[in-house]
Amino acid sequence: MKRIGILTSGGDAPGMNAAIRAAVRTATVHDVSIVGYLDGFSGLIEGKFQELDDRSVGNIIQRGGTVLGTSRCPEFLDAEVRAKSVRQMRSDGVDGLVIIGGDGSFRGALALEAEHGVAIAGVPGTIDNDVWGTEETIGFDTAVNTAVLAIDHVRDTSESTGVMFFVEVMGRTSGAIALHTAVAAGAAGMLVPEAHEQIEQLVERLNHSIERGKRSHIIVVAEGDEAGGAFAVAEKVGSIMNHPYRVVVLGHTQRGGQPTARDRIVAGQSGALAVRALVEGRSGIMIGIQGGQPVEVALKDVVANVHPRPDTSLLSLAQELAG
Ligand code: F6P
């Protein structure tokens, strides 16, 4: 392995820059050159890249987003397009790839390995924490902390006015952000795709706490919940209860911002091990975090297995502690 390419793919996640930095600095230590493909797989297809070295990744560890740019790249589902990208990468002199992204990105990466023998090391980066084989994905911790801080602000208003708030957090197919946010922010209830409280039961609990003098009420809704997001849930609850409410959609605020220390550490461990594995001749892997430590997991297992189920026991915990 003389020259590695690195790219970020799918939705950006805070901590991706820390992973790029770790990968580049590890490559430098091993005397391997490294290039950064721009805007995900699109840059790989078109041969758009920049040379990276240990100095070019200075001052990015604390920055959200990704300095390489990212994209969702549906063209990559086409085998012809993948073949073109491999021809391009060979002509760029690149022998192996570090792919930072979610399991959609890994599906494309695995196809490159299966069809063309490209050496691949994946690093899970998505705020959704929905990748099999790892306890944590880069960006999840930051997204949860961002949502919790936003809800702390909303709670001041809720407590002052008695208005009830429905806060929508990200996670199209995963309730992980919602579950963790709801417990950490002291929410009265939550609605997530994986576990559902009936609206009537939620209303009953809300009415009971209002009768007992509670003033601030936060209900966290995952964007992918089957009830239809925060506006739909608020309307349903509002039609049963005679209580003023507002809806706050946090949206992409959760994708940006400075990564937390935890995300930077996970990114550092994963980016470094991804490069070390490629240099030592191992590929077809993703770096997962298991028992708090970085480990190598077979990429084919990551892609073959269904999304991990988030810890739904947090739902009943939030309800029990709501007061
Ligand atoms: O990257 C994951 C994620 O942030 C999901 O939580 C969300 O549903 C989706 O991406 C939004 O993606 P986009 O910005 O492409 O609409």
Side-chain angles (χ1 to χ4, degrees):
M1 187 73 47
K2 285 277 161 275
R3 192 162 157 86
I4 290 174
I6 183 167
L7 60 84
T8 47
S9 170
D12 54 287
M16 280 183 165
N17 284 328
I20 295 166
R21 169 184 177 272
V24 171
R25 296 234 162 120
T26 305
T28 309
V29 166
H30 287 87
D31 213 14
V32 168
S33 71
I34 182 160
V35 302
Y37 283 104
L38 305 180
D39 297 330
F41 286 113
S42 312
L44 186 67
I45 299 164
E46 291 160 24
K48 288 195 182 140
F49 63 85
Q50 62 192 49
E51 299 285 341
L52 299 170
D53 63 26
D54 55 346
R55 286 310 336 137
S56 62
V57 291
N59 199 32
I60 66 168
I61 192 171
Q62 78 284 18
R63 287 170 58 189
T66 158
V67 292
L68 295 177
T70 187
S71 64
R72 303 195 191 274
C73 184
E75 308 91 279
F76 217 68
L77 293 171
D78 182 342
E80 278 300 309
V81 173
R82 292 196 294 272
K84 178 175 182 255
S85 75
V86 174
R87 285 194 296 277
Q88 180 63 52
M89 107 179 217
R90 303 269 192 238
S91 81
D92 302 334
V94 168
D95 312 309
L97 294 174
V98 173
I99 311 282
I100 307 172
D103 60 357
S105 311
F106 296 153
R107 226 169 284 278
L110 191 66
L112 286 186
E113 168 141 276
E115 294 161 358
H116 304 281
V118 176
I120 302 283
V123 172
T126 162
I127 62 168
D128 289 348
N129 205 26
D130 60 352
V131 177
W132 187 90
T134 188
E135 289 154 8
E136 293 172 73
T137 57
I138 296 167
F140 174 64
D141 188 61
T142 306
V144 169
N145 277 286
T146 300
V148 169
L149 184 64
I151 292 177
D152 288 349
H153 292 183
V154 165
R155 186 182 289 284
D156 289 344
T157 294
S158 187
E159 184 69 28
S160 305
T161 60
V163 169
M164 183 161 64
F165 280 84
F166 295 84
V167 181
E168 184 176 300
V169 298
M170 270 191 157
R172 199 156 30 209
T173 57
S174 166
I177 295 176
L179 283 157
H180 287 250
T181 298
V183 172
M190 73 178 100
L191 288 98
V192 297
E194 297 84 356
H196 222 96
E197 180 178 29
Q198 296 302 317
I199 299 276
E200 293 71 21
Q201 192 189 333
L202 173 65
V203 168
E204 205 175 296
R205 288 196 302 104
L206 289 167
N207 276 331
H208 182 61
S209 43
I210 290 167
E211 277 159 23
R212 293 176 55 249
K214 184 170 175 175
R215 282 177 65 85
S216 61
H217 311 278
I218 309 284
I219 296 99
V220 174
V221 184
E223 66 169 320
D225 183 74
E226 66 188 22
F231 279 101
V233 172
E235 228 168 84
K236 280 181 198 150
V237 173
S239 71
I240 308 175
M241 283 176 81
N242 185 22
H243 196 87
Y245 69 84
R246 295 282 187 278
V247 175
V248 176
V249 177
L250 296 182
H252 290 73
T253 57
Q254 297 151 96
R255 284 250 291 263
Q258 288 192 312
T260 57
R262 181 67 200 146
D263 272 330
R264 298 182 203 194
I265 292 166
V266 170
Q269 290 174 316
S270 313
L273 182 53
V275 167
R276 213 161 51 239
L278 287 179
V279 169
E280 290 169 3
R282 299 186 299 283
S283 80
I285 53 165
M286 180 196 81
I287 310 304
I289 300 292
Q290 293 181 8
Q293 291 304 312
V295 294
E296 296 169 22
V297 183
L299 203 52
K300 64 173 173 24
D301 293 341
V302 175
V303 167
N305 280 293
V306 288
H307 284 180
R309 200 176 154 76
D311 182 1
T312 49
S313 72
L314 295 175
L315 180 95
S316 47
L317 181 65
Q319 289 169 0
E320 273 164 35
L321 303 184

